[in-house]
Amino acid sequence: ATNALANARARQVFLEIAAMPEQPQFVIHLGDIVNPVPSLPTFDQAVRHFKDIIKPVKVPVHVLPGNHDVGDKRIEWMPAEQVCDSFLEKYRASFGDDFFSFEQEGLRFILVNSLLINSGLEDEKRQQQWLERQLEVAEAKAQRVFMFMHYPPYIYSTKEKGNYDNLDEPGRRWLLGLIARPQVEAVFARHVHNFWYDR
């Protein structure tokens, strides 16, 4: 019943953004752009629906993948299809890069594909090296950094056990080491279906 309302809810949100008297400079979508995973025949139709829904927004809409967009994180007990090269290829053909950064008014915005972390896929190492370079560049430029991802590194504690809603080790420890750098001012994540924050 909730999923049946998803398109109407998303359309309402983007219409409200489009109607804001003071427009944002951009929008970042934190993943689960569509519901069906790339192996399902309805994936392409869902992508078309999403692109139609965001049409009223005239500022850039940056997206990054969630588990519905490229498959669940790689772990043996995961209940659904897991992230793989073919799902990533389909995502990139539909939406573009799955990790990237951009600068705006001297700030650096870094969008991370958290599904790659601990995946064992070739692109995991590529993203690791890229992210480390991004932070080195930001440090050299004395830039404030804001990071965005789908899976949060943790919910309650940096030492909590891996579960459906967080990143597992050893990727979590690696990522938290990067987040601890002084130039990283905030991290935004989505996957968990309620609001929380940590300092």
Side-chain angles (χ1 to χ4, degrees), residues 79-90:
E81 291 184 277
Q82 297 178 12
V83 64
C84 60
D85 290 330
S86 64
F87 287 1
L88 289 167
E89 286 171 19
K90 190 152 193 181

Side-chain angles (χ1 to χ4, degrees), residues 14-121:
F14 283 106
L15 285 171
E16 289 182 16
I17 293 170
M20 291 171 73
E22 188 174 335
Q23 284 288 288
Q25 293 183 22
F26 56 85
V27 174
I28 295 179
H29 191 300
L30 297 177
D32 286 353
I33 304 163
V34 298
N35 191 47
V37 293
S39 64
L40 294 176
T42 52
F43 180 82
D44 292 331
Q45 180 185 7
V47 170
R48 288 193 298 274
H49 276 303
F50 175 77
K51 291 180 178 180
D52 178 62
I53 285 169
I54 66 169
K55 273 183 185 173
V57 178
K58 301 306 178 196
V59 299
V61 177
H62 303 288
V63 298
L64 56 80
N67 53 305
H68 285 279
D69 309 310
V70 295
D72 278 336
K73 65 181 184 175
R74 295 286 284 270
I75 195 161
E76 61 186 30
W77 49 261
M78 197 51 62
E81 291 184 277
Q82 297 178 12
V83 64
C84 60
D85 290 330
S86 64
F87 287 1
L88 289 167
E89 286 171 19
K90 190 152 193 181
Y91 175 90
R92 291 166 185 156
S94 300
F95 297 109
D97 291 336
D98 55 310
F99 58 91
F100 59 96
S101 70
F102 62 95
E103 295 182 37
Q104 191 96 17
E105 296 187 6
L107 306 176
R108 181 169 294 260
F109 299 90
I110 301 176
L111 284 72
V112 176
N113 180 352
S114 56
L115 282 304
L116 283 176
I117 297 172
N118 297 316
S119 69
L121 299 172

